[in-house]
Amino acid sequence: MTSLRRSFTFFGGKGGTGKTTCSAAYAVKLADDGFDTLLVSTDPAHSLSDIVGTGLDNTIRPIRERLWGIEIDAAEESKRYIGEIQDKMLAIVSPAIVEEIKRQMEIAYTSPGAEEAATFDKFVELMDMVKGADGAKGGRTFDSIVFDTAPTGHTLRLLSLPEILGAWIDSLIAKRRKTLELFGMVGKFEEDMKKRATDDPVIDTLTRRQKQFEKSREYLTGDMSAFFFVLNAEKMPIMETARAVEMLEKFGITVGGVVVNRVIPPDAGEFFAERLKDQEGYLADIERRFGGKNIVRLPLLRSDVRGMEQVEEIAAILGKLE
Ligand SMILES: Nc1ncnc2c1ncn2[C@@H]1O[C@H](COP(=O)(O)OP(=O)(O)O)[C@@H](O)[C@H]1O
Ligand SMILES: [Mg+2]
């Protein structure tokens, strides 16, 4: 089997299935294998710090040898993102509408989607740091990034943003061009407007954003990325995962495989006998539905995952994902 080790590895699935555990374990494995690895949480309900035992926040912090971590703070990113747009706008508008721009930006900051857009921006900024990605010009680089993502719906929306917003930005650019052309026809502004049509700050900003989306699509849909779903051997999670796999593949994102977590061991005792029988059926269903992909089973542990020792145990099992 060809190696599934990619520059970008994503772990997704329902809340509580074990995404954070798996991404931390997989990142530990990559670091132990000698790769400089960045572990990124895009889940607003961050819990990486608890598992890796290091306080993480919105800046890249060292966790251990060859391993770093960051928890993206959507609210903070959103504030910064809107602030940057505001600065650009204020630089190009007349003083008379400064207050209006500020008011609009206030609305933009609290509008739905602002945090996602900002999270996405940060997300691409981090992806640029991988060796071979084109943004890492002289800055800090990593061999690999592992993403601990938010529950499925949120993540699917995030990953589909480039496609959806890409088309929207296209239409904005076209509109802006049209406006500039109209101005150009008035005659006396002609020279000035012709210059602006080739050198317009709004088109410039939109085009830059468009390029960033295109780049992120290249990262996500090429050989650089693989997405893994974490699920439990139960009816609803299997169906939800099947739907999510289909959607990601429609977006052109490689689904590397599934991690079946909390698999009850056969010697679990009389109390689990009935559940074991159900589980057998669900495991067979998982094999049937996702048989073409890597399937890794993680046993139900005696306790919650506490500390690096258990993370390393899981890391050894997740090595089979490759
Ligand atoms: N195989 C397992 N056995 C026992 N507990 C587990 C196992 N996998 C995860 N857990 C525990 O389940 C809880 C949820 O796991 P977590 O990785 O945070 O899920 P998610 O990130 O998907 O919400 C954590 O307390 C974790 O320690
Ligand atoms: Mg989590």
Side-chain angles (χ1 to χ4, degrees):
M1 183 186 300
T2 54
S3 171
L4 278 167
R5 186 187 302 132
R6 306 285 167 102
S7 303
F8 310 113
T9 310
F10 297 82
F11 286 92
K14 262 176 119 69
T17 49
K19 296 180 294 298
T20 301
T21 305
C22 288
S23 28
Y26 190 69
V28 163
K29 186 206 171 296
L30 291 178
D32 283 352
D33 285 351
F35 298 100
D36 286 341
T37 304
L38 178 64
L39 180 55
V40 179
S41 167
T42 62
D43 187 347
H46 297 299
S47 62
L48 273 183
S49 297
D50 300 338
I51 287 197
V52 299
T54 311
L56 293 176
D57 57 18
N58 207 30
T59 49
I60 295 173
R61 307 259 179 221
I63 296 174
R64 60 189 228 162
E65 210 187 336
R66 291 193 180 278
L67 182 60
W68 291 261
I70 179 170
E71 294 179 332
I72 296 180
D73 181 334
E76 194 179 306
E77 290 305 327
S78 174
K79 217 179 263 173
R80 202 174 58 178
Y81 175 79
I82 300 287
E84 276 169 17
I85 296 177
Q86 177 171 305
D87 290 346
K88 278 191 195 132
M89 299 279 280
L90 292 181
I92 61 167
V93 299
S94 69
I97 60 168
V98 162
E99 283 313 309
E100 174 60 17
I101 296 280
K102 284 190 176 162
R103 202 181 61 83
Q104 281 187 13
M105 286 299 147
E106 193 67 28
I107 295 170
Y109 170 57
T110 52
S111 70
E115 290 197 356
E116 271 168 320
T119 303
F120 194 84
D121 235 44
K122 184 72 182 179
F123 177 70
V124 178
E125 184 192 313
L126 294 172
M127 288 178 114
D128 274 341
M129 292 181 179
V130 153
K131 286 172 193 159
D134 60 33
K137 295 168 190 121
R140 135 178 245 174
T141 58
F142 299 95
D143 296 304
S144 209
I145 303 185
V146 179
F147 290 95
D148 171 20
T149 75
T152 317
H154 184 278
T155 296
L156 290 181
R157 256 198 331 277
L158 188 70
L159 296 182
S160 59
L161 271 184
E163 196 151 49
I164 293 160
L165 290 188
W168 181 64
I169 289 181
D170 270 343
S171 75
L172 285 184
I173 292 177
K175 261 192 210 137
R176 182 72 185 172
R177 286 237 157 86
K178 193 135 225 166
T179 312
L180 291 174
E181 274 167 27
L182 284 177
F183 268 123
M185 285 194 285
V186 178
K188 86 174 177 185
F189 296 114
E190 201 164 354
E191 275 315 300
D192 184 37
M193 279 305 157
K194 262 195 192 139
K195 189 182 169 303
R196 288 203 64 177
T198 52
D199 196 20
D200 179 60
V202 176
I203 288 191
D204 207 49
T205 305
L206 290 173
T207 308
R208 224 168 322 129
R209 165 97 342 152
Q210 187 69 310
K211 285 216 178 90
Q212 213 198 12
F213 278 143
E214 274 165 23
K215 204 168 54 175
S216 73
R217 272 199 67 74
E218 262 167 48
Y219 290 161
L220 289 171
T221 60
D223 280 347
M224 293 180 95
S225 298
F227 202 101
F228 293 92
F229 281 97
V230 185
L231 77 165
N232 298 335
E234 288 159 11
K235 186 171 178 169
M236 292 311 285
I238 294 174
M239 281 161 61
E240 188 186 296
T241 305
R243 276 197 298 271
V245 166
E246 199 178 307
M247 238 183 116
L248 279 190
E249 288 183 338
K250 212 176 76 195
F251 283 124
I253 298 171
T254 302
V255 177
V258 297
V259 179
V260 191
N261 193 12
R262 293 202 181 80
V263 175
I264 304 164
D267 57 356
E270 185 53 32
F271 180 78
F272 282 104
E274 197 87 355
R275 272 189 185 279
L276 263 174
K277 243 194 266 150
D278 290 344
Q279 176 174 280
E280 222 169 88
Y282 292 131
L283 286 174
D285 192 24
I286 289 171
E287 294 288 338
R288 194 171 51 73
R289 286 177 191 257
F290 310 110
K293 308 182 192 310
N294 265 299
I295 301 174
V296 169
R297 296 179 187 185
L298 285 183
L300 173 68
L301 303 172
R302 284 166 191 277
S303 71
D304 277 358
V305 181
R306 296 191 202 109
M308 277 303 197
E309 216 165 283
Q310 268 173 315
V311 171
E312 302 231 7
E313 260 171 56
I314 295 170
I317 302 174
L318 284 185
K320 291 185 204 145
L321 281 180
E322 294 170 3

